[in-house]
């Protein structure tokens, strides 16, 4: 082991494209850790092929390896770049597996590369459940005995001793989440057959099922001196049997006794010490509610959505602190930025609010997927609600999870009783709504608890919300009722709907009765210290802690939880925009509910409001902050319209402005121009590729730049594009679409549209010009004509770039097929001097083969 | 639920909803920052005559459990919370919090901006009296201002007569100043044959029982109000047998050995402070609950060694006698509620007793 | 079969208690020097010294004594008496209070050799003995002043002390021969 103080170069294994299992939380942590490394004089290089990565923007191009995250590529970089150390904890399980392979084949030893954050032996155990279980057993931590089987016959021999239900899990799976609960032999055999295929070693494990136990997660941090801090406990409302990523999660735990909680804390610390973790450790436990016994079910010494939630809810700067720990600092010595109380890193967080995280599923865009929630994660994102009661936090989270433009909860009252019972036992994505509906129909909390294994407490809380809802119904326009409704988290839109009025009336009534939100700081000491944290949430109490930032403020509204579509790109856009606004001298305020967002970390804005991005809540923030400009995401039409009616300086960014044109049915070439006054900068000419037979515009999910055209042809298309733009009143980053006319190969203009978020990120990465910056400056009128004129872009570059959308089909177990832009979950990007290299770097070769066949030759 | 008020001696009044007993009570208002463990907190006798503001916003969620009592007859004066759930169906529960408080005539008030109060107590450092009342009128404030809080807290909560807690191991005498049960549980786990004596016991009373060790318990109020007798007892006993003191016991141990105490501007009740164990230079967390602290400068280094220190406020958290196996900690080593990593102090105590046997 | 009789936590506590007892017995740390007997006694000695440093903010000199180990498997005779073969002591022991530190106290022969070696170096004010484990079966009139743990053992058993500085962990185990 090298002296960590001597580290000069660290290679970070990036998280790759967003997919089910992780989204932008890894990118967010990566950015913060890179910033920390930089401060300590450590040079960071990174391998990642996520075109929407913010981290890649933070790194010198020479240290950036835009390549697929594979063992071969990482080895290549090690050979070339000779880093002192490698960091696996920012790339999820894949990174841990890659480093494991690099140890096994001797590469790390050969090049003297230290692993940061965990030992080689720990790494091996994370990849090998049996080895990990042996270690945990040796230190008397209870584990579920998993037995490895190579064949179905072996499994049959174990059935009697384990008993049903049992769980089949592939050994060292290629994906994060494949566990199957089997009730009988037939189910087991099916699961084994699938599992053998998914395993890197063609093996599966069999183990006792703890379905119905409480699932509790613990997030801790440890330094080289073995000081440990328990950062946060997370309680899954749904019990074991539903993947924690598909469960509603509450923090701090609400239905654990102190003894149960402390026992898990003890176990967490013992495991952290035994495994020699430096940095963050995220554990899962199955807790038997009947007798307080527990099992350790997952050991994850890397960044994850659980860690992100812990950071958001406690206000503890986990990534910042981890960065310092990785370089060998001790918790007692860590110096945090001045907004934190001096000793924050070493104080065990204690909080005085409740956070609830609700997952978001992609079933609207992928309707043929099985919508049942089970042990394989299906959610693509999540959204949180923070409040001062479980009701308030829960209702805020539900409101943010439903995407109702008017902030009204959908009803599932059309379910038959039979359907409802079935869904209580075999939950679907609308789980929470069904639970509420069952209470509405008169089921008692303890009955429902029996049926669902969800703790009775949560039904008592939901029922309380229904009582308040009834009170709202019974007392139209009553201010006491309004006070209670807002106190418990009801949105203005919900109240307005029940009272059959509009939100303006509700707001007027509230103002008259002085029922105003009070914002509370999200900080890790529960008021013990005068922290100066930048995160806030609303409640309706006595003291408001949020003071307006003052002059020149910009309020940026986030898009809420991650969904399919351009969300990762939007996150990139939002983060870069915030940076630019700050650089332009604005005080920046972000409002968002996605705990995994990059931009929600305090590093990127002066203030963050974690509140539903709904009209009433937005207006409340505007009332406190009086922002000079408000920036609304393009997909929020109702919100935009309503805000537009008020005296608010509104910008719809990223641009979704109507061009007044019907989009064309299809296009094969896109020419992007940055239009500013009379200037029209040609940014790129790209092929718009459709992997499937369907050539429609919605199927364009891959892009190549420069387009496969003769150089002169590209230039002539640019001229045509400029002409097309001149004929229209458009500004900003514009894409002119071309398609062959009729049967001829003659390319003609078929449409003009604002450049989509995904392509905007692509263009920035390819041209090396931060177009989000340009666009933001254009909007706030600080864009310098001369600066713009100086931008030189080689439209005929020999370097080829390719971006290809990633889809969640495989993880949702639906047929692999060409997806549409609405079904994108993320994307990969690759550069190369030759076509072959470019294409081999992309993840989905099957699709790309099709692309190659169609576009080359 | 009835509308009630929390009033403070600074003249402020906060409206909320009553739960638990409907009694009107007065006490010193303090805050507790622990994340969990409301039952352990409300039943701990260190809160005698105090009204507790809970930082944890949701209280009552797991009812009242048989294994979470720190005393059977709690004597706190009230609970101030943001949100209360009166649930009794948790698998271990017998009672809801509401029923429990009614039985013990302790009022609770919910719907209070507890975060505001905690911030306010911090800013307006110094003791603050308060009452939970039905009507926040001038009369209520007059009553509050006229209330004189007793300084005989230990007398009120500690046992007046000895009782045994038999087992087969080491003979331990526990001096009860308002003992929390967590201490007895830790001794029971180590099979100690315990005799609990009233705090007024003399050294002779203790030594007559021929114990292997003596433990000075936690308790409420000020150690300065208990007189010289107890300090004399400590000095005599520590010279003869291993001694372990916790909380109030620690404060008395310090006084008995010449150190001085100061009242903290704000009582601290929480478990988030790192505490350095000086001898090994490592860091632990433990539940702390203190209104007083040993003045570091007053420690006679020829008699006492400082063994633990709070890294946040610098307070002395542990002492040890130079000449005898006698040691003390300010924090609650039994970890009920709160972190468990200081429980090995009980092992240290056991080993000190064993070592004395030779 | 090996059975752990002292785990890492308990070992920490034992050393902590020994440290305090040293302070109690010696009324402080003045004139104290600590000599560790190789191999594991050296590490235990250093740990005690570091604890004293933490508590008293005084650096107590630490030295090593290398002693050919006493071997259970060879009949005891004059040739097989343990001998001090090397010392690493860069300070004078004359007039000092010497604390000898070893991991296991067994027959007492090793300690006798250590004491002779110390006496050869100069006349200390006193010699005290601290051991992590006293397993009994003394063959000489020697007794430890500070004992981490008494482990009555049969002579057939082996007591194995591991220290994290050179072994993979801190532990004391009993192994059946």
């Amino acid at each position: 082991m090298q002296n960590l103080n001597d580290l000069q170069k660290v290679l970070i294994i990036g998280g790759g494209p967003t997919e089910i299992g992780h989204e932008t939380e890894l990118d967010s942590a990566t950015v913060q850790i890179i910033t920390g490394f930089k401060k300590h004089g450590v040079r960071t290089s990174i391998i990642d092929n996520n075109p929407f990565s913010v981290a890649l923007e933070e790194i010198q191009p020479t240290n950036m390896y835009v390549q697929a995250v594979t063992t071969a590529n990482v080895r290549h970089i090690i050979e070339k770049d000779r880093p002192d150390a490698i960091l696996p904890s920012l790339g999820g399980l894949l990174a841990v597996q890659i480093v494991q392979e690099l140890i096994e084949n001797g590469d790390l030893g050969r090049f003297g590369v230290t692993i940061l954050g965990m030992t080689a032996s720990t790494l091996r155990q994370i990849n090998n459940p049996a080895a990990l279980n042996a270690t945990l057993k040796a230190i008397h931590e209870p584990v579920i005995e998993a037995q490895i089987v190579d064949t179905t016959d072996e499994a049959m021999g174990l059935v009697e001793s384990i008993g049903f239900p049992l769980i089949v899990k592939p050994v060292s799976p290629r994906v994060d989440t494949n566990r199957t609960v089997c009730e009988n032999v037939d189910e087991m055999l099916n699961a084994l057959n699938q599992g053998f295929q998914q395993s890197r070693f063609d093996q599966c494990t069999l183990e006792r099922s703890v379905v119905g136990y409480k699932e509790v997660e613990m997030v801790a941090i440890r330094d080289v001196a073995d000081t440990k801090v328990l950062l946060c406990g997370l309680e899954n409302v749904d019990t074991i049997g539903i993947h924690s990523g598909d469960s509603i999660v509450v923090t701090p735990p609400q239905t654990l006794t102190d003894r149960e909680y402390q026992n898990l804390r003890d176990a967490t610390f013992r495991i952290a010490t035994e495994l020699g973790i430096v940095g963050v450790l995220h554990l899962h436990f199955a807790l038997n509610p009947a007798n307080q016994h527990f099992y350790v079910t997952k050991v994850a010494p890397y960044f994850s959505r659980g860690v992100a939630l812990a950071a958001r809810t406690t206000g503890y700067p986990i990534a910042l602190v981890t960065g310092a720990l990785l370089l060998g600092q001790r918790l007692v010595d860590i110096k945090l930025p001045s907004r934190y109380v001096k000793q924050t890193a070493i104080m065990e967080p204690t909080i005085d609010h409740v956070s609830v995280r609700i997952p978001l599923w992609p079933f609207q865009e992928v309707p043929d997927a099985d919508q049942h929630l089970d042990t394989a994660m299906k959610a693509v994102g999540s959204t949180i609600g923070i409040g001062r009661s479980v009701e308030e936090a829960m209702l805020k989270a539900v409101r943010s999870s439903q995407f109702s433009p008017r902030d009204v909860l959908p009803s599932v009252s059309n379910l038959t009783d039979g359907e409802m019972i079935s869904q209580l036992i075999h939950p679907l994505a609308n789980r929470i709504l069904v639970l509420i509906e069952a209470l509405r129909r008169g089921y008692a909390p303890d009955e429902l608890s029996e049926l669902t294994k969800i703790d009775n407490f949560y039904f008592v809380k939901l029922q309380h919300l229904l009582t308040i809802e009834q009170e709202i119904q019974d007392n139209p326009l009553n201010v006491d009722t309004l006070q209670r409704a807002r106190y418990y988290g009801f949105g203005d839109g919900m109240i307005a709907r029940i009272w059959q009025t509009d939100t303006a009336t509700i707001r007027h009534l509230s103002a008259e009765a002085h029922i105003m939100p009070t914002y509370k700081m999200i900080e890790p000491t529960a008021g013990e210290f005068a922290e100066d944290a930048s995160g806030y949430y609303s409640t309706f109490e006595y003291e408001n802690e949020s003071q307006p930032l003052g002059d020149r403020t910009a309020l940026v509204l986030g898009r809420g939880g991650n969904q399919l579509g351009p969300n990762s790109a939007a996150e990139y856009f939002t983060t870069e925009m915030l940076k630019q606004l700050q650089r332009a001298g604005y005080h920046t305020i972000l409002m968002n509910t996605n705990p995994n967002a990059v931009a929600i970390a305090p590093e990127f804005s002066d203030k963050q409001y974690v509140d539903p991005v709904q009209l009433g809540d937005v207006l409340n923030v505007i009332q406190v902050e009086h922002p000079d400009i408000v920036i609304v995401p393009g997909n929020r039409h109702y919100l935009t319209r309503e805000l537009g009616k008020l005296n608010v300086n509104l910008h719809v960014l990223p641009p979704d402005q109507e061009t007044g044109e019907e989009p064309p049915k299809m296009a094969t070439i896109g020419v992007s121009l940055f239009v500013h006054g009379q200037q029209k900068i040609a940014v790129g000419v790209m092929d718009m590729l459709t992997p499937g037979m369907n050539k429609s515009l919605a199927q364009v999910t891959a892009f190549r730049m420069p387009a496969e055209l003769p150089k002169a042809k590209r230039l002539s298309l640019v001229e045509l594009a400029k002409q097309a733009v001149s004929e229209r009143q458009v500004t900003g980053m514009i894409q002119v679409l071309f398609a062959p006319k009729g049967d001829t190969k003659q390319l003609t203009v078929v449409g003009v549209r604002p450049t989509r978020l995904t392509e905007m990120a692509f263009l920035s990465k390819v041209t090396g010009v931060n177009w989000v910056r340009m666009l933001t400056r254009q909007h706030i009128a600080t864009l310098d004509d001369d600066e713009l004129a100086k931008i030189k872009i080689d439209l005929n570059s020999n370097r080829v770039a390719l971006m290809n959308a990633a889809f969640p089909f495989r993880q949702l177990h639906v047929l692999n097929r060409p997806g549409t832009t609405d079904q994108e979950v993320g994307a990969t990007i690759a550069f190369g001097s030759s076509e072959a290299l470019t294409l081999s770097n992309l993840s989905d070769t099957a699709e790309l083969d099709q692309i190659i066949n169609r576009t080359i030759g | 639920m009835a509308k009630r008020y929390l009033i403070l001696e600074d003249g402020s009044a906060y409206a909320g909803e009553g739960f638990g007993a409907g009694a009107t009570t007065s006490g010193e208002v303090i805050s507790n920052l622990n994340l969990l463990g409301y039952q352990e907190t409300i039943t701990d006798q260190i809160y005698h005559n105090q009204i507790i503001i809970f930082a944890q916003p949701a209280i009552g969620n797991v009812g009242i459990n048989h294994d979470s009592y720190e005393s059977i007859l709690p004597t706190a004066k009230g609970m101030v919370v943001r949100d209360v759930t009166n649930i009794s169906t948790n698998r271990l529960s017998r009672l809801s919090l509401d029923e429990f408080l009614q039985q013990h005539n302790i009022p609770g008030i919910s719907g209070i901006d507890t975060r505001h109060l905690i911030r306010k107590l911090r800013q307006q450092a110094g003791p603050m009296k308060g009452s939970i009342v039905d009507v926040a009128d001038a009369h209520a404030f007059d009553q509050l201002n006229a209330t004189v809080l007793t300084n005989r807290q230990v007398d009120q909560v500690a046992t007046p007569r000895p009782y045994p807690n038999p087992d087969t191991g080491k003979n331990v005498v526990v001096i009860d100043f308002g003992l929390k049960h967590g201490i007895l549980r830790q001794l029971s786990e180590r099979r100690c044959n315990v005799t609990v004596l009233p705090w007024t016991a003399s050294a002779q009373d203790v030594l007559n029982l021929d114990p292997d060790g003596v433990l000075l318990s936690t308790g409420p109020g000020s150690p300065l109000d208990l007189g010289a007798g107890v300090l004399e007892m400590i000095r005599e006993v520590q010279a003869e047998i291993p001694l372990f003191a916790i909380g109030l016991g620690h404060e008395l141990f310090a006084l008995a050995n010449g150190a001085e105490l100061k009242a903290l501007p704000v009582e601290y009740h929480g478990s988030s402070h790192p505490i350095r164990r000086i001898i090994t230079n490592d860091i632990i967390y433990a539940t702390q609950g203190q209104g007083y602290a040993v003045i570091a400068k007053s420690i006679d280094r020829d008699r006492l060694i400082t063994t633990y220190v709070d890294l946040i406020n610098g307070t002395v958290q542990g002492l040890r006698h130079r000449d005898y196996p006698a040691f003390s900690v300010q924090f609650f080593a039994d970890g009920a509620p709160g972190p468990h990593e200081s429980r090995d102090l009980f092992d240290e105590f056991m080993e000190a007793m064993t070592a004395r046997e030779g | 079969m090996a059975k752990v009789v002292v785990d890492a936590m308990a070992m920490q506590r034992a050393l902590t208690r020994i440290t305090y007892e040293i302070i109690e017995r010696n009324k402080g740390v003045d004139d104290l020097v600590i000599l560790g007997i190789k191999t594991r006694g050296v590490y235990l000695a250093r740990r005690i010294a570091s604890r004293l440093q933490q508590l008293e903010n005084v650096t107590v000199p630490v030295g090593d004594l290398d002693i050919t180990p006493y071997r259970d498997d060879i009949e005891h005779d004059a040739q097989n008496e343990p001998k001090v073969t090397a010392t690493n002591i860069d300070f004078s022991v004359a007039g000092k209070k010497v604390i000898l530190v070893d991991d296991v106290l067994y027959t007492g022969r090793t300690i006798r050799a250590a004491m002779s070696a110390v006496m050869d170096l100069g006349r200390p004010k006193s010699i005290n003995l601290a051991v992590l484990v006293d397993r009994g079966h003394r063959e000489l009139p020697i007794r430890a002043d500070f004992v981490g743990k008494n482990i009555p053992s049969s002579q057939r058993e082996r007591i194995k002390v591991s220290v994290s500085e050179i072994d993979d962990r801190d532990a004391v185990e009993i192994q059946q021969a």
Side-chain angles (χ1 to χ4, degrees), chain B residues 103-269:
Chain B
Q103 285 175 11
H104 295 283
N105 202 35
I106 298 171
I109 184 166
S110 70
I112 299 290
D113 189 343
T114 48
R115 179 172 166 85
H116 159 68
L117 286 176
I118 289 167
R119 285 159 53 85
K120 172 170 161 160
L121 288 184
R122 182 189 75 219
Q123 284 156 7
Q124 306 179 357
M128 173 89 76
K129 278 186 299 183
S131 295
I132 297 174
V133 297
D134 293 328
V135 186
D137 56 7
H139 175 69
F141 279 102
D142 287 347
Q143 291 274 323
L144 171 60
N145 292 329
T147 302
V148 178
L149 296 175
T150 171
N151 63 352
R152 308 297 302 166
Q153 291 103 316
V154 171
D155 277 334
Q156 302 287 321
V157 299
T159 184
R161 54 177 56 88
Y163 62 89
N165 186 22
D167 211 313
T168 54
K170 296 264 184 284
N171 294 307
V172 174
V173 163
V174 173
I175 308 292
D176 178 7
F177 298 97
L179 173 66
K180 71 200 293 289
H181 287 189
I183 291 174
L184 290 181
R185 277 192 292 266
Q186 291 306 309
L187 293 173
S188 285
E189 268 179 33
R190 291 164 181 78
R191 310 308 305 261
C192 291
N193 180 39
V194 172
T195 307
V196 181
L197 293 186
W199 72 275
T200 48
S202 68
Q204 200 56 55
D205 294 335
V206 175
L207 297 174
N208 281 347
L209 292 166
D210 191 22
D212 297 305
V214 63
L215 190 150
L216 310 181
S217 85
T218 53
S222 165
L224 303 170
D225 295 333
L226 297 179
V230 64
L231 304 184
E232 186 51 41
M233 180 273 287
I234 293 170
R235 278 190 293 267
E236 282 182 44
V237 168
Q238 73 186 11
E240 302 292 328
I241 46 174
L243 179 143
F244 178 25
I246 305 175
L248 183 65
H250 154 85
E251 293 162 9
L252 293 167
F253 174 71
L255 284 176
N257 289 294
E260 291 165 24
L261 295 175
K262 62 178 174 193
L264 294 176
V266 181
E267 286 206 7
Y268 175 61
H269 298 268

Side-chain angles (χ1 to χ4, degrees), chain B residues 331-354:
Chain B
F331 51 82
F332 300 149
D334 58 307
H340 294 165
E341 59 248 41
S342 57
R343 281 184 176 171
D344 77 332
L345 278 155
F346 284 90
D347 295 314
E348 230 173 288
F349 183 44
M350 297 301 290
E351 287 158 13
M353 291 190 280
T354 306

